[in-house]
Amino acid sequence: MVRVGFVAGEEKDDVTQMKWFAEQVAAAHRASVEARQGTEEALMRALEDGDVDLVVGVFPKASPWSQRVALTSSVIRQDTDSETPVLRGAVHRGENRWLLGIERLIEDGKK
Amino acid sequence: MTNLPSEIRDDLRRARRLEWWTLFWQATIVAVMFFAMGSSQAMKSAWVEDLLGLLPASAFLIALHFEQKEPTDRFRFGFARVDSFAFLISAAALLAMGLYLVYDSSMKLIHGEHPTIGAAPLVGPDLWMGWVMVGVLIYSVVPPVILGHLKKPLAEKLRDKVLYTDALMQKADWMTGLAGAFGVIGVGFGWWWADSVAALLISLDIINDGRKSLMTATAELVDGVPRKLGSSEVASDAKHLEEHLQRYGAGRVRLRECGRYIFAEIDRLDGAPSLRDLWPGDAEDSWRLASVSTLQRVRQTVD
């Protein structure tokens, strides 16, 4: 079971892609998604507290949260600049194996 | 190098060459580290330390430049003491490096900071950035090991405390580089605390070296008796010199050290010995005794 937090209030297209991304991550680990929705702040705090494994939303690379959580690269397209918000995941800091696994999945999806 | 003792000119040239090499290699390390550090705090600390490592080598080259100058109207005692000043700067840099390392590692341990090291930029997730960091850290270890090894015997021969402190700084550099590499590999295994603990242990050694150097540098600037390299004990050649000067009826002997040279003040001198006669040890080290003055005190305010 992968506990995923979806940031509420995103565009409809983004919501579809967020769900698809979370399912890809869970499938790669032969797990299912346990979803919850919330504000960016509430979900990031839950991530820091270890209550969720992955937060999916639309954030810029230079988000203030990047100091407190580890952000993945852009899920759909290449990162162009650090200010444009794009769909990406966030994981707990120091979860390097988990982060690298998700990065591999993103990279394979782009090929 | 005309204004320097001929016996040490070749060694000084070699030391100068080594310090230029140090600046060159250290600059490449600083540049490579800057691009590889990413958001890793351990790498940032190693980068700050490598920047600090430039100080003793620069201080040595500046001091040597001044040491060669003839006395001027405004500096009638010459510039031998610039070396003592450079020694103080180098010793302070070494101590600052040790203290910074303690502060930095303790903060990381207290805050339970879990370093995040992801995929290498440009290469992608096929290469863990940690391996790039380990490669850079190992590169940062090689020049200090070689240069420090070459500098230490030269520093002992030249009685050069700046060069000696620089060799200690290089030791600190390679030790922290290895601790950093160990730390990054530790992070790979999930031991987030590994590099902080290694850095804390190493910082104790660096602080001890820095403290001893700073004490000797301070003693030198307040005209203390010449000290051994890397120690606050009185130098053995200074002890022998004091005894030897008594054979010439010197009376009260006051020795002080300006950079690599010893200056002696005595009450009187029997006969007309040369400086070389007054030196008790090997003739090839007699350059160390730079001046012997007999004093006729008009009034003494400090005893």
mmCIF file of all heavy atoms in Angstrom, chain A residues 69-70 92-97 99-100 103-104 107 111, chain B residues 39 114-119 124-128 187-188:
data_model
loop_
_atom_site.group_PDB
_atom_site.id
_atom_site.type_symbol
_atom_site.label_atom_id
_atom_site.label_comp_id
_atom_site.label_asym_id
_atom_site.label_seq_id
_atom_site.Cartn_x
_atom_site.Cartn_y
_atom_site.Cartn_z
ATOM 1 N N VAL A 69 11.149 18.987 1.997
ATOM 2 C CA VAL A 69 10.852 17.664 1.424
ATOM 3 C C VAL A 69 11.690 17.525 0.151
ATOM 4 O O VAL A 69 12.296 18.490 -0.292
ATOM 5 C CB VAL A 69 9.355 17.505 1.077
ATOM 6 C CG1 VAL A 69 8.484 17.643 2.308
ATOM 7 C CG2 VAL A 69 8.942 18.506 0.017
ATOM 8 N N ALA A 70 11.749 16.322 -0.408
ATOM 9 C CA ALA A 70 12.506 16.132 -1.653
ATOM 10 C C ALA A 70 11.514 16.075 -2.815
ATOM 11 O O ALA A 70 10.588 15.247 -2.808
ATOM 12 C CB ALA A 70 13.308 14.849 -1.571
ATOM 13 N N HIS A 92 9.570 12.145 1.432
ATOM 14 C CA HIS A 92 10.249 12.509 2.679
ATOM 15 C C HIS A 92 11.756 12.671 2.410
ATOM 16 O O HIS A 92 12.324 11.887 1.652
ATOM 17 C CB HIS A 92 10.011 11.394 3.704
ATOM 18 C CG HIS A 92 10.329 11.787 5.106
ATOM 19 N ND1 HIS A 92 11.604 11.760 5.596
ATOM 20 C CD2 HIS A 92 9.538 12.232 6.114
ATOM 21 C CE1 HIS A 92 11.584 12.159 6.856
ATOM 22 N NE2 HIS A 92 10.349 12.464 7.187
ATOM 23 N N ARG A 93 12.382 13.684 3.035
ATOM 24 C CA ARG A 93 13.828 13.886 2.846
ATOM 25 C C ARG A 93 14.608 12.667 3.329
ATOM 26 O O ARG A 93 14.274 12.070 4.347
ATOM 27 C CB ARG A 93 14.295 15.114 3.624
ATOM 28 C CG ARG A 93 14.020 16.405 2.903
ATOM 29 C CD ARG A 93 14.581 17.566 3.675
ATOM 30 N NE ARG A 93 16.034 17.619 3.547
ATOM 31 C CZ ARG A 93 16.664 18.237 2.555
ATOM 32 N NH1 ARG A 93 15.984 18.866 1.622
ATOM 33 N NH2 ARG A 93 17.972 18.243 2.503
ATOM 34 N N GLY A 94 15.631 12.325 2.587
ATOM 35 C CA GLY A 94 16.486 11.210 2.995
ATOM 36 C C GLY A 94 16.006 9.853 2.491
ATOM 37 O O GLY A 94 16.724 8.860 2.622
ATOM 38 N N GLU A 95 14.798 9.818 1.897
ATOM 39 C CA GLU A 95 14.299 8.544 1.344
ATOM 40 C C GLU A 95 14.874 8.406 -0.070
ATOM 41 O O GLU A 95 14.154 8.510 -1.070
ATOM 42 C CB GLU A 95 12.765 8.534 1.309
ATOM 43 C CG GLU A 95 12.113 8.541 2.676
ATOM 44 C CD GLU A 95 12.256 7.201 3.394
ATOM 45 O OE1 GLU A 95 12.652 6.212 2.746
ATOM 46 O OE2 GLU A 95 11.983 7.146 4.601
ATOM 47 N N ASN A 96 16.173 8.185 -0.127
ATOM 48 C CA ASN A 96 16.875 8.273 -1.407
ATOM 49 C C ASN A 96 16.527 7.131 -2.368
ATOM 50 O O ASN A 96 16.408 7.344 -3.569
ATOM 51 C CB ASN A 96 18.378 8.352 -1.164
ATOM 52 C CG ASN A 96 18.748 9.614 -0.422
ATOM 53 O OD1 ASN A 96 18.396 10.709 -0.850
ATOM 54 N ND2 ASN A 96 19.425 9.486 0.706
ATOM 55 N N ARG A 97 16.381 5.938 -1.819
ATOM 56 C CA ARG A 97 16.054 4.795 -2.689
ATOM 57 C C ARG A 97 14.652 4.969 -3.308
ATOM 58 O O ARG A 97 14.450 4.759 -4.498
ATOM 59 C CB ARG A 97 16.112 3.490 -1.872
ATOM 60 C CG ARG A 97 16.027 2.248 -2.725
ATOM 61 C CD ARG A 97 16.036 1.031 -1.833
ATOM 62 N NE ARG A 97 17.335 0.851 -1.188
ATOM 63 C CZ ARG A 97 18.337 0.151 -1.707
ATOM 64 N NH1 ARG A 97 18.172 -0.432 -2.868
ATOM 65 N NH2 ARG A 97 19.476 0.018 -1.073
ATOM 66 N N LEU A 99 13.082 7.825 -3.717
ATOM 67 C CA LEU A 99 13.142 8.952 -4.651
ATOM 68 C C LEU A 99 13.730 8.510 -5.995
ATOM 69 O O LEU A 99 13.189 8.813 -7.065
ATOM 70 C CB LEU A 99 14.009 10.079 -4.048
ATOM 71 C CG LEU A 99 14.289 11.289 -4.933
ATOM 72 C CD1 LEU A 99 13.010 12.073 -5.198
ATOM 73 C CD2 LEU A 99 15.318 12.220 -4.278
ATOM 74 N N LEU A 100 14.824 7.754 -5.922
ATOM 75 C CA LEU A 100 15.500 7.325 -7.154
ATOM 76 C C LEU A 100 14.615 6.371 -7.963
ATOM 77 O O LEU A 100 14.589 6.425 -9.196
ATOM 78 C CB LEU A 100 16.829 6.655 -6.793
ATOM 79 C CG LEU A 100 17.954 6.799 -7.804
ATOM 80 C CD1 LEU A 100 18.314 8.259 -8.021
ATOM 81 C CD2 LEU A 100 19.204 6.037 -7.352
ATOM 82 N N GLU A 103 12.135 8.477 -9.725
ATOM 83 C CA GLU A 103 12.821 9.183 -10.821
ATOM 84 C C GLU A 103 13.003 8.257 -12.030
ATOM 85 O O GLU A 103 12.838 8.667 -13.171
ATOM 86 C CB GLU A 103 14.198 9.696 -10.363
ATOM 87 C CG GLU A 103 14.162 10.879 -9.408
ATOM 88 C CD GLU A 103 13.735 12.187 -10.058
ATOM 89 O OE1 GLU A 103 13.458 12.204 -11.268
ATOM 90 O OE2 GLU A 103 13.650 13.192 -9.333
ATOM 91 N N ARG A 104 13.338 6.992 -11.758
ATOM 92 C CA ARG A 104 13.514 6.015 -12.854
ATOM 93 C C ARG A 104 12.212 5.830 -13.621
ATOM 94 O O ARG A 104 12.194 5.779 -14.843
ATOM 95 C CB ARG A 104 13.964 4.667 -12.283
ATOM 96 C CG ARG A 104 15.424 4.648 -12.013
ATOM 97 C CD ARG A 104 16.040 3.256 -12.100
ATOM 98 N NE ARG A 104 17.429 3.409 -11.702
ATOM 99 C CZ ARG A 104 17.895 3.150 -10.496
ATOM 100 N NH1 ARG A 104 17.078 2.680 -9.568
ATOM 101 N NH2 ARG A 104 19.151 3.344 -10.203
ATOM 102 N N GLU A 107 11.526 8.847 -15.752
ATOM 103 C CA GLU A 107 12.421 8.832 -16.906
ATOM 104 C C GLU A 107 11.926 7.813 -17.946
ATOM 105 O O GLU A 107 11.889 8.114 -19.140
ATOM 106 C CB GLU A 107 13.839 8.481 -16.432
ATOM 107 C CG GLU A 107 14.938 8.700 -17.436
ATOM 108 C CD GLU A 107 15.158 10.156 -17.779
ATOM 109 O OE1 GLU A 107 14.753 11.033 -16.992
ATOM 110 O OE2 GLU A 107 15.715 10.411 -18.863
ATOM 111 N N LYS A 111 10.362 8.194 -22.139
ATOM 112 C CA LYS A 111 11.038 7.609 -23.313
ATOM 113 C C LYS A 111 10.027 7.170 -24.376
ATOM 114 O O LYS A 111 8.921 6.790 -24.042
ATOM 115 C CB LYS A 111 11.900 6.417 -22.873
ATOM 116 C CG LYS A 111 13.223 6.883 -22.295
ATOM 117 C CD LYS A 111 14.036 5.702 -21.796
ATOM 118 C CE LYS A 111 15.277 6.222 -21.051
ATOM 119 N NZ LYS A 111 15.897 5.171 -20.260
ATOM 120 N N SER B 39 22.355 19.949 -3.239
ATOM 121 C CA SER B 39 21.776 20.440 -1.989
ATOM 122 C C SER B 39 22.360 19.703 -0.789
ATOM 123 O O SER B 39 21.863 19.819 0.318
ATOM 124 C CB SER B 39 20.261 20.264 -2.023
ATOM 125 O OG SER B 39 19.965 18.891 -2.123
ATOM 126 N N HIS B 114 18.159 14.624 7.416
ATOM 127 C CA HIS B 114 18.307 13.465 6.520
ATOM 128 C C HIS B 114 18.698 13.976 5.141
ATOM 129 O O HIS B 114 17.854 14.534 4.439
ATOM 130 C CB HIS B 114 16.988 12.692 6.430
ATOM 131 C CG HIS B 114 16.654 11.929 7.668
ATOM 132 N ND1 HIS B 114 16.591 12.514 8.907
ATOM 133 C CD2 HIS B 114 16.372 10.613 7.860
ATOM 134 C CE1 HIS B 114 16.280 11.585 9.808
ATOM 135 N NE2 HIS B 114 16.145 10.429 9.204
ATOM 136 N N PRO B 115 19.959 13.814 4.746
ATOM 137 C CA PRO B 115 20.357 14.356 3.442
ATOM 138 C C PRO B 115 19.659 13.650 2.280
ATOM 139 O O PRO B 115 19.538 12.426 2.285
ATOM 140 C CB PRO B 115 21.864 14.106 3.383
ATOM 141 C CG PRO B 115 22.237 13.456 4.649
ATOM 142 C CD PRO B 115 21.026 13.093 5.405
ATOM 143 N N THR B 116 19.172 14.461 1.332
ATOM 144 C CA THR B 116 18.522 13.892 0.158
ATOM 145 C C THR B 116 19.496 13.927 -1.004
ATOM 146 O O THR B 116 19.988 14.989 -1.366
ATOM 147 C CB THR B 116 17.268 14.706 -0.205
ATOM 148 O OG1 THR B 116 16.413 14.711 0.935
ATOM 149 C CG2 THR B 116 16.535 14.107 -1.379
ATOM 150 N N ILE B 117 19.816 12.778 -1.547
ATOM 151 C CA ILE B 117 20.698 12.718 -2.714
ATOM 152 C C ILE B 117 19.962 11.912 -3.781
ATOM 153 O O ILE B 117 19.708 10.729 -3.597
ATOM 154 C CB ILE B 117 22.053 12.061 -2.367
ATOM 155 C CG1 ILE B 117 22.694 12.780 -1.161
ATOM 156 C CG2 ILE B 117 22.999 12.092 -3.562
ATOM 157 C CD1 ILE B 117 23.966 12.126 -0.643
ATOM 158 N N GLY B 118 19.599 12.601 -4.846
ATOM 159 C CA GLY B 118 18.807 11.951 -5.883
ATOM 160 C C GLY B 118 19.633 11.545 -7.084
ATOM 161 O O GLY B 118 20.786 11.123 -6.947
ATOM 162 N N ALA B 119 19.021 11.720 -8.256
ATOM 163 C CA ALA B 119 19.688 11.323 -9.502
ATOM 164 C C ALA B 119 20.670 12.402 -9.935
ATOM 165 O O ALA B 119 20.489 13.573 -9.615
ATOM 166 C CB ALA B 119 18.642 11.116 -10.576
ATOM 167 N N GLY B 124 20.736 11.583 -15.323
ATOM 168 C CA GLY B 124 19.433 11.003 -15.016
ATOM 169 C C GLY B 124 19.513 9.936 -13.947
ATOM 170 O O GLY B 124 20.569 9.742 -13.341
ATOM 171 N N PRO B 125 18.384 9.226 -13.737
ATOM 172 C CA PRO B 125 18.311 8.300 -12.596
ATOM 173 C C PRO B 125 19.195 7.063 -12.727
ATOM 174 O O PRO B 125 19.277 6.274 -11.793
ATOM 175 C CB PRO B 125 16.833 7.905 -12.559
ATOM 176 C CG PRO B 125 16.290 8.226 -13.891
ATOM 177 C CD PRO B 125 17.120 9.304 -14.483
ATOM 178 N N ASP B 126 19.816 6.858 -13.885
ATOM 179 C CA ASP B 126 20.719 5.703 -14.006
ATOM 180 C C ASP B 126 21.970 5.883 -13.170
ATOM 181 O O ASP B 126 22.696 4.924 -12.892
ATOM 182 C CB ASP B 126 21.113 5.472 -15.472
ATOM 183 C CG ASP B 126 19.936 4.939 -16.266
ATOM 184 O OD1 ASP B 126 19.032 4.366 -15.609
ATOM 185 O OD2 ASP B 126 19.894 5.124 -17.488
ATOM 186 N N LEU B 127 22.265 7.122 -12.797
ATOM 187 C CA LEU B 127 23.455 7.384 -11.981
ATOM 188 C C LEU B 127 23.035 8.123 -10.725
ATOM 189 O O LEU B 127 22.470 9.220 -10.789
ATOM 190 C CB LEU B 127 24.469 8.235 -12.778
ATOM 191 C CG LEU B 127 25.749 8.607 -12.034
ATOM 192 C CD1 LEU B 127 26.568 7.366 -11.688
ATOM 193 C CD2 LEU B 127 26.587 9.561 -12.855
ATOM 194 N N TRP B 128 23.301 7.493 -9.583
ATOM 195 C CA TRP B 128 23.005 8.130 -8.298
ATOM 196 C C TRP B 128 24.022 9.249 -8.067
ATOM 197 O O TRP B 128 25.224 9.042 -8.249
ATOM 198 C CB TRP B 128 23.098 7.093 -7.180
ATOM 199 C CG TRP B 128 22.744 7.623 -5.819
ATOM 200 C CD1 TRP B 128 21.640 8.341 -5.500
ATOM 201 C CD2 TRP B 128 23.501 7.471 -4.618
ATOM 202 N NE1 TRP B 128 21.649 8.634 -4.156
ATOM 203 C CE2 TRP B 128 22.777 8.122 -3.589
ATOM 204 C CE3 TRP B 128 24.704 6.841 -4.286
ATOM 205 C CZ2 TRP B 128 23.225 8.163 -2.279
ATOM 206 C CZ3 TRP B 128 25.150 6.878 -2.980
ATOM 207 C CH2 TRP B 128 24.411 7.536 -1.989
ATOM 208 N N VAL B 187 24.899 7.532 3.676
ATOM 209 C CA VAL B 187 23.554 7.990 3.304
ATOM 210 C C VAL B 187 22.910 6.964 2.373
ATOM 211 O O VAL B 187 21.720 6.653 2.473
ATOM 212 C CB VAL B 187 23.627 9.389 2.640
ATOM 213 C CG1 VAL B 187 22.317 9.741 1.961
ATOM 214 C CG2 VAL B 187 23.970 10.449 3.681
ATOM 215 N N GLY B 188 23.739 6.401 1.464
ATOM 216 C CA GLY B 188 23.248 5.359 0.546
ATOM 217 C C GLY B 188 22.712 4.145 1.288
ATOM 218 O O GLY B 188 21.774 3.487 0.853
#
